[in-house]
Amino acid sequence: MVRARRFPGSFRRLISLSSVLVLVMALVVAMAVGCHRPASGTQGAPTSSGPSAPSQSPPSQSTPQGTAARPFVGSAEISLVEALPEGRGLQMLPIGDSIAVEPGKSVTVGLQPLPFHAILAPAPASDWVQKNVKVEGAKVELAPADTGTLSFTIPASTKEGTVTIALSSVVPPDGQGNTVTFTLNRKAEPRGTLEVQDGGTWRAVRPGESLRQRPLDLRVVFSSDMTAGSLQAELARRAGTFKWENPKTLLWHLDDPPAVVELDLRQGRGTNGLLVMGDLASAYTGEVPQLVAFDLIKGTTVNPTSTAPATAQATALITLPADVRTALISPDGRKLLVSAFLRSTSRAQNPPIATWVIDTQNGSRRVMPGNDASYFAYLGWADDQSVVALTYEGEVRVAVVDLGGRVLRSWKVPGDGGHLVSVSPDGRRLAVMIGDFDREDQAERLTPYELYVIDLASGQTALEAKDFVWIYSTHSEGRGRNGPAWSPDGRELAAVGDRKQGGGAYVRVADLQKRGLDGTNQAAVTEGASIPDLGHSYQYPFSWSADGRYWVIGDRIVSSRAPFETKGQLSGLGKPLWSLSPLVVRGETDDYGPIRAYQVGAGSAPFLSADLPVGWDRSGTFYGIRWPDYRFRVVWQSGL
């Protein structure tokens, strides 16, 4: 079950453009009048904070009675940011200190968006900006400067050129005249591409690739001439030998590379003085991940009389991209939907994600849409030829996507966030639990969740249960992993909630075939098992066995029918994956780590020789990913 966050942009700790401007304005208001800082002429001499105060007191003005005084303007500043894709929009990430821009002088800047700020004293009237500020070479949106700060953003550009900002009806620093002009010379920032020598030919490192050549020859090819000394300290601390082949090409030779090689390019500067866009040249060189299959049902891997867990044997199938994050096996077992992090050169805290459909017989790959888990989260298979995904296009939507990446159907998901979702066993419906955070019990930190069901063919959406369960929330949005679970026949939905005062957990069941018992057209809801000694339920994935007889609640297997007896215990916190036997496979976490297979009523829990559980196909084969070097993978930084 996958949760769409309440505010989809919060998957990355980036600062939006509006946040940058608000921060700068707050600093400006708080600053005392200070010394004027001279401009450097390039990004090479940043200032230490927001816009500087005027370098001298405004010259005395003789102002006719009833006429507003012309504002004094000293210097201005440009904030350095990098525009990064965030879903279908952009986020602005600060990449360094601001740079000063002096009237009558030019400064070299890049092609990224340029937030511009200048202090005006005294603050002009609200209509002053529209009358007296002219920008040439770029289209900008101007806002009043009646707070004493003139702020706007010059958009990103694909072409080099000059931008001039002219302010009239002002007092210049020297007191002469009434016009001030700032000149920005826009040049392309350097960018680096990591390449590998393969069979005597240089080529770009491919997404998800494992570089197994020994020795390994890499190079970073920059888009413009570099100042070699700007990267000297970084090269000195990295393994291998380096040589500048020319001002644009850095050669890198490694006889015996570690599992991951990388260069931090953040201090790199071109000969034009501009910082490198993107901060990391990285490649994975360790062991290649493999998809493996287990015949757990027909085999003899479960031995009830064994006192020590056995190790189930696996059949290796195909190799997979490095840095695999999630994987879903198709019902027929012939295709694998894989999402993997990309080792990119972005300054973003969290890396982009690529998704492929991979043939489990021959390893051929097709790229699927969506490069950001915040905005294109794959939930499961609708059938053997299409998958279900959550998307964000100004609103949360559920989509059915074919294996060519074409969106077949798309429907709005109710609510504005806090979603816990689950695809029905037949792939035709989506269960959605939505947290009503406005009604959160602040004392108990419990949030009520409504239960909806969306028909993925028609888009028909029905409220099945209001206040279905109350779930303990560690944050205002919650971080639940305990979304709704379908019965195998799709007739019922169950979910786990939390009782007040730490009174344990409980299960509630909604019968979608019975309606109107409470005077509404909602599903009939009954009480299920009660687990008084279970901790907060948000920590545990909840599941319903494939034969319908059991639930996994926390660390135990419980009968799904009264009297709800405990039938066994499991270790770990990973999502339980059921077969019809009934056999359940569970990892220590939802991430990489030890995996065990449990059979209800058996005393043995054999380890599986894999590192990431994937799931069962309809024939009863279980799949996992074996990746001994998984500790070197790219990881998500936001704690999700």
Side-chain angles (χ1 to χ4, degrees):
M1 286 158 277
V2 178
R3 182 179 181 281
R5 291 181 62 82
R6 193 176 191 186
F7 302 104
S10 65
F11 270 177
R12 301 175 184 216
R13 296 175 184 172
L14 302 179
I15 300 177
S16 66
L17 175 59
S18 60
S19 299
V20 172
L21 296 181
V22 170
L23 176 60
V24 172
M25 291 178 68
L27 289 173
V28 169
V29 172
M31 289 176 62
V33 174
C35 295
H36 182 63
R37 292 178 295 228
S40 63
T42 70
Q43 285 186 9
T47 64
S48 60
S49 61
S52 37
S55 59
Q56 59 192 62
S57 299
S60 60
Q61 302 179 54
S62 177
T63 305
Q65 186 174 3
T67 302
R70 289 180 293 142
F72 172 80
V73 56
S75 64
E77 289 193 352
I78 295 288
S79 299
L80 300 182
V81 300
E82 181 178 1
L84 298 171
E86 179 76 350
R88 294 179 180 270
L90 292 175
Q91 295 287 344
M92 306 301 169
L93 182 69
I95 61 174
D97 295 325
S98 300
I99 60 173
V101 187
E102 287 193 21
K105 297 183 179 181
S106 64
V107 63
T108 299
V109 295
L111 302 182
Q112 292 290 307
L114 301 171
F116 174 89
H117 320 282
I119 295 177
L120 305 174
S126 58
D127 62 348
W128 180 88
V129 170
Q130 295 297 330
K131 294 179 178 179
N132 296 288
V133 178
K134 304 297 180 185
V135 179
E136 295 184 358
K139 293 182 178 181
V140 301
E141 294 184 6
L142 297 174
D146 48 6
T147 61
T149 302
L150 173 64
S151 296
F152 56 85
T153 296
I154 300 168
S157 177
T158 59
K159 297 180 180 180
E160 297 182 343
T162 301
V163 175
T164 58
I165 303 166
L167 280 59
S168 59
S169 190
V170 297
V171 178
D174 59 6
Q176 302 300 312
N178 64 356
T179 301
V180 166
T181 300
F182 301 98
T183 303
L184 310 179
N185 293 323
R186 304 194 79 171
K187 302 293 183 182
E189 302 93 339
R191 294 180 179 272
T193 300
L194 186 64
E195 297 184 351
V196 60
Q197 192 172 55
D198 186 6
T201 302
W202 290 100
R203 62 169 178 80
V205 176
R206 303 185 185 103
E209 183 175 16
S210 299
L211 302 179
R212 301 295 293 162
Q213 301 93 324
R214 300 293 185 271
L216 181 63
D217 284 297
L218 301 169
R219 70 179 184 182
V220 182
V221 179
F222 293 95
S223 58
S224 58
D225 288 355
M226 295 292 295
T227 301
S230 64
L231 287 171
Q232 192 60 40
E234 171 65 9
L235 303 186
R237 72 186 190 92
R238 296 296 185 181
T241 57
F242 298 90
K243 177 183 177 181
W244 285 96
E245 184 178 44
N246 57 57
K248 291 183 180 180
T249 307
L250 175 63
L251 301 179
W252 187 7
H253 176 84
L254 300 107
D255 289 318
D256 186 20
V260 171
V261 295
E262 60 186 23
L263 286 178
D264 187 342
L265 305 177
R266 280 177 291 186
Q267 299 305 313
R269 289 184 181 273
T271 54
N272 58 9
L274 300 181
L275 289 168
V276 172
M277 284 295 103
D279 60 359
L280 196 66
S282 177
Y284 173 71
T285 63
E287 189 169 339
V288 183
Q290 286 185 314
L291 179 68
V292 294
F294 299 87
D295 192 0
L296 297 176
I297 296 177
K298 297 179 182 178
T300 58
T301 58
V302 178
N303 180 6
T305 64
S306 174
T307 59
T311 299
Q313 298 302 309
T315 300
L317 299 178
I318 56 172
T319 60
L320 298 174
D323 302 311
V324 173
R325 180 172 180 257
T326 60
L328 297 168
I329 193 72
S330 64
D332 61 8
R334 299 183 63 85
K335 292 168 285 293
L336 187 71
L337 185 71
V338 171
S339 292
F341 286 125
L342 299 182
R343 293 179 179 269
S344 74
T345 59
S346 169
R347 291 178 186 267
Q349 180 182 12
N350 288 315
I353 292 175
T355 301
W356 298 268
V357 171
I358 304 178
D359 190 301
T360 60
Q361 308 301 309
N362 58 30
S364 61
R365 304 176 185 181
R366 282 180 282 182
V367 177
M368 294 290 283
N371 63 354
D372 188 313
S374 307
Y375 297 89
F376 221 106
Y378 290 95
L379 308 179
W381 290 83
D383 51 42
D384 289 332
Q385 301 299 322
S386 59
V387 293
V388 181
L390 281 187
T391 69
Y392 183 79
E393 302 175 41
E395 60 185 9
V396 180
R397 301 181 70 84
V398 58
V400 178
V401 185
D402 68 17
L403 301 188
R406 184 167 58 101
V407 175
L408 304 178
R409 296 177 295 280
S410 176
W411 314 106
K412 184 181 184 305
V413 176
D416 62 354
H419 301 99
L420 297 166
V421 300
S422 178
V423 180
S424 64
D426 61 7
R428 297 179 180 178
R429 292 171 291 172
L430 183 73
V432 183
M433 292 201 327
I434 301 172
D436 187 350
F437 298 99
D438 292 335
R439 296 173 53 222
E440 180 177 343
D441 184 329
Q442 297 292 333
E444 296 285 347
R445 304 185 74 172
L446 295 175
T447 299
Y449 277 75
E450 298 177 338
L451 175 66
Y452 291 82
V453 172
I454 302 174
D455 186 296
L456 297 179
S458 66
Q460 180 179 350
T461 302
L463 172 61
E464 298 294 353
K466 187 173 179 61
D467 295 351
F468 187 36
V469 290
W470 291 68
I471 297 176
Y472 181 86
S473 178
T474 56
H475 302 270
S476 61
E477 293 184 49
R479 286 183 180 269
R481 302 166 67 228
N482 53 337
W486 290 87
S487 63
D489 59 9
R491 292 173 55 95
E492 297 172 294
L493 279 161
V496 181
D498 297 293
R499 300 194 186 281
K500 292 185 176 182
Q501 299 179 349
Y506 62 91
V507 178
R508 299 192 80 195
V509 181
D511 189 334
L512 306 182
Q513 304 298 311
K514 296 180 181 179
R515 299 185 170 276
L517 300 184
D518 59 352
T520 70
N521 194 37
Q522 298 175 17
V525 176
T526 57
E527 298 293 327
S530 180
I531 314 292
D533 59 341
L534 186 68
H536 297 308
S537 67
Y538 74 90
Q539 305 174 84
Y540 306 103
F542 173 61
S543 72
W544 203 323
S545 68
D547 65 359
R549 295 190 292 164
Y550 306 103
W551 293 318
V552 169
I553 309 172
D555 62 352
R556 65 206 72 188
I557 300 173
V558 177
S559 174
S560 62
R561 303 301 176 195
F564 309 114
E565 297 174 329
T566 297
K567 296 295 185 178
Q569 286 194 304
L570 303 83
S571 65
L573 298 175
K575 179 180 178 180
L577 301 168
W578 286 93
S579 76
L580 285 169
S581 58
L583 192 69
V584 60
V585 174
R586 187 179 207 176
E588 289 298 310
T589 69
D590 281 338
D591 205 345
Y592 285 86
I595 305 170
R596 286 188 176 186
Y598 299 84
Q599 189 163 18
V600 178
S604 169
F607 286 102
L608 304 187
S609 55
D611 303 294
L612 183 70
V614 172
W616 302 84
D617 67 18
R618 65 169 66 98
S619 73
T621 299
F622 185 80
Y623 298 84
I625 293 174
R626 180 186 293 162
W627 191 18
D629 282 340
Y630 68 80
R631 64 189 181 280
F632 298 108
R633 69 197 182 282
V634 178
V635 296
W636 194 260
Q637 298 292 330
S638 59
L640 294 177

